[in-house]
Amino acid sequence: MAALRGLLARPLASYYLLLSSAGLLLLIGLTMVFSATSVRDYAEAGDAAASVTKQAIFAVIGIVAFWACQRLPASTFRSLGRPLLGGAVVLLLVLNLLVALNALFGLKSLGPLQANLLWLYLGPIQVQPAELAKLALVLWGAHVVARKGAALGWWKELATPLFPVVGLLFVLVGYNDLGSMLCLLAIVVGLLWAAGVRLRVFAALSAVGLAGVGLLVAVASLGAGSGARGQENYRLARLTSFLDTPDPAKCVEDACWQMVQARNAIEHGGWFGVGLGKSSLKFGWLPAAHNDFIFAVIAEELGVVGCTVILVLFAVLAYTGLRIARRVADPFRRLAATAVTAWLTGQAVINIGGVTKLLPLTGVPLPFISDGGSALVVTLAAVGMLASFARAEPDAARALHARPPARWVRLVWAPLPPLPGARSRPASPPAAPGSVPRARGRRPDDQAVPRGVRQDRTRGGPASERRR
């Protein structure tokens, strides 16, 4: 424990903990995507590495995004919040419009634009706007909350403009994707908790959030998400199957099919798993084995030991994010680091809880590990922002300036962070010799006594005036 405390006391401990945990999760994710998709890809196209090659390309793009974000200062992130939020809202509006036109009139495309429930296609480019909305809410929300400061104790300050924008995002995202809406809720909770908002605000948010989730579950019968008018409400079916799981023999046509197969995979894996690549449930028995239910494949192939490694890495990532938020001095950095940590940790908890039947199924990917390009790129960009904040910790900044790396390392990898307490504006030029500073200058006074004349300290007048 003494050695561990010594390692954690090092100035750049947060930075290296973040790099190691995120890097290991990314490597495990690429390995498990290949394991979960190789059989299907070989059967369909004759290329077992088709999906993992595509995921590796997105991983390279995400690493470039990580590199770019860790070089940016906090002022750039603050200025990027509003444009990213506007772009995310526009993409969500276009996506929902195309989904509605397809459901009402059978119109599947609008020029080069196409939509498929959660994804927006522009030719060969595929984007998931909900993932961009998460990062945009982190940047914009942290900027707004940091700017308001202590005024957040008033409901009026919370109501403008934070709550209306958050409500709009909840509607645009949650109509098709309830799981991503819960991730947005985790971001909002992380922002307000880091800002020190009172508990009654969280109670009100919890009540409004539960009412909103209930409304989104109800509108699935009207065609929201992947539901259809006149058919069974799939969101309600997931909730009822979580509360009261039916007989596994009758789950072929029910919503509990994925849950039962995931539990079968976990039971088949046991403590040490059946071996990497030897899963049997991925042969068409487990739906979305490469995406939402990849944790079940990990449990079957690597067992409890492999699952524990994944949980430990996410715990290290959560600890590092909160450590960065506690150590940085800038309010924006503190709020953004807390929001990113709440987002990644909350999404991992929702995914793993749904696979293991600890939470209802919502359909969100496991960060770093599930197959999906948009989610991976945005996640690595958020981790790059955390890395920039880790280098800006006061002790880390002093250590980097005390022993700066080589010039080519600063140019290729990351520049030096600003020193804590450094002046943001250039200092005023020094005064001329012999001059008197303006603050010390003698103000003209008509009643001033000439220099060298001793003022009479005795008071004249009657006693009442002297007492007054």
Side-chain angles (χ1 to χ4, degrees):
M1 294 301 296
L4 180 61
R5 286 193 295 267
L7 291 175
L8 293 179
R10 291 178 176 268
L12 291 171
S14 301
Y15 183 71
Y16 291 122
L17 280 176
L18 185 67
L19 289 184
S20 58
S21 58
L24 288 175
L25 286 172
L26 179 61
L27 290 177
I28 293 173
L30 292 175
T31 304
M32 297 312 303
V33 166
F34 176 70
S35 176
T37 59
S38 57
V39 175
R40 183 200 63 186
D41 291 342
Y42 184 78
E44 294 178 354
D47 185 8
S51 294
V52 72
T53 302
K54 184 179 179 181
Q55 186 74 356
I57 293 174
F58 282 111
V60 172
I61 298 174
I63 292 174
V64 173
F66 169 89
W67 171 81
C69 288
Q70 78 156 354
R71 298 178 60 89
L72 299 178
S75 58
T76 304
F77 288 115
R78 298 186 78 151
S79 61
L80 286 175
R82 185 176 295 178
L84 279 179
L85 183 66
V89 170
V90 170
L91 291 177
L92 287 170
L93 287 173
V94 173
L95 175 64
N96 288 319
L97 176 62
L98 290 175
V99 171
L101 291 176
N102 187 18
L104 296 176
F105 307 105
L107 186 62
K108 297 183 179 180
S109 64
L110 190 63
L113 290 174
Q114 295 181 359
N116 183 13
L117 190 60
L118 305 179
W119 292 270
L120 191 63
Y121 298 90
L122 180 60
I125 302 176
Q126 176 183 350
V127 180
Q128 191 171 359
E131 298 297 330
L132 183 62
K134 297 174 185 177
L135 182 60
L137 181 59
V138 168
L139 298 180
W140 180 82
H143 171 66
V144 170
V145 174
R147 186 182 59 189
K148 288 183 178 294
L152 285 174
W154 300 92
W155 280 98
K156 181 180 178 181
E157 296 297 330
L158 285 172
T160 55
L162 185 63
F163 282 173
V165 175
V166 169
L168 177 63
L169 285 179
F170 282 4
V171 173
L172 294 177
V173 174
Y175 184 78
N176 291 324
D177 191 358
L178 183 60
S180 295
M181 193 211 75
L182 294 177
C183 295
L184 294 178
L185 180 61
I187 292 174
V188 175
V189 171
L191 283 173
L192 297 182
W193 175 72
V197 176
R198 299 176 182 177
L199 293 178
R200 60 186 182 185
V201 176
F202 289 101
L205 284 178
S206 301
V208 174
L210 289 176
V213 170
L215 182 61
L216 291 174
V217 170
V219 297
S221 301
L222 303 177
S226 57
R229 186 184 298 270
Q231 295 184 2
E232 183 184 11
N233 190 326
Y234 74 101
R235 289 175 178 172
L236 183 61
R238 286 179 173 180
L239 184 60
T240 54
S241 63
F242 167 74
L243 298 175
D244 185 15
T245 305
D247 186 4
K250 301 179 181 179
C251 281
V252 178
E253 299 180 357
D254 294 337
C256 62
W257 171 258
Q258 286 180 309
M259 192 177 298
V260 169
Q261 294 302 322
R263 297 185 70 180
N264 289 338
I266 296 172
E267 181 184 4
H268 189 206
W271 284 97
F272 301 100
V274 297
L276 186 62
K278 297 181 180 180
S279 170
S280 59
L281 273 296
K282 66 184 180 183
F283 285 83
W285 293 98
L286 181 62
H290 63 291
N291 194 354
D292 297 344
F293 280 81
I294 197 170
F295 190 76
V297 179
I298 296 174
E300 185 180 7
E301 295 185 353
L302 304 180
V304 176
V305 176
C307 295
T308 303
V309 171
I310 300 295
L311 295 176
V312 169
L313 289 176
F314 274 112
V316 171
L317 184 67
Y319 164 76
T320 306
L322 295 179
R323 171 190 169 102
I324 295 171
R326 183 172 59 88
R327 287 172 173 253
V328 292
D330 182 21
F332 171 79
R333 290 192 177 102
R334 181 177 69 251
L335 294 167
T338 307
V340 170
T341 306
W343 159 24
L344 299 179
T345 308
Q347 186 168 332
V349 169
I350 292 172
N351 178 275
I352 297 174
V355 172
T356 56
K357 202 180 177 300
L358 296 176
L359 293 173
L361 290 178
T362 53
V364 294
L366 188 60
F368 301 100
I369 297 178
S370 292
D371 186 17
S374 300
L376 184 60
V377 172
V378 174
T379 299
L380 289 176
V383 174
M385 182 177 64
L386 278 180
S388 173
F389 296 165
R391 291 170 57 86
E393 291 181 4
D395 293 341
R398 295 190 188 99
L400 289 172
H401 279 271
R403 299 184 61 181
R407 183 178 179 82
W408 69 270
V409 175
R410 300 198 300 268
L411 292 175
V412 172
W413 186 241
L416 290 175
L419 279 172
R423 291 178 180 266
S424 57
R425 298 179 180 178
S428 57
S435 62
V436 180
R438 183 177 298 179
R440 287 177 153 184
R442 186 184 297 273
R443 291 183 298 178
D445 190 357
D446 296 338
Q447 298 180 359
V449 180
R451 209 170 180 183
V453 179
R454 182 179 180 87
Q455 185 179 5
D456 189 10
R457 297 180 181 272
T458 61
R459 295 181 180 179
S464 60
E465 292 294 333
R466 290 198 301 269
R467 285 195 299 270
R468 189 178 304 167

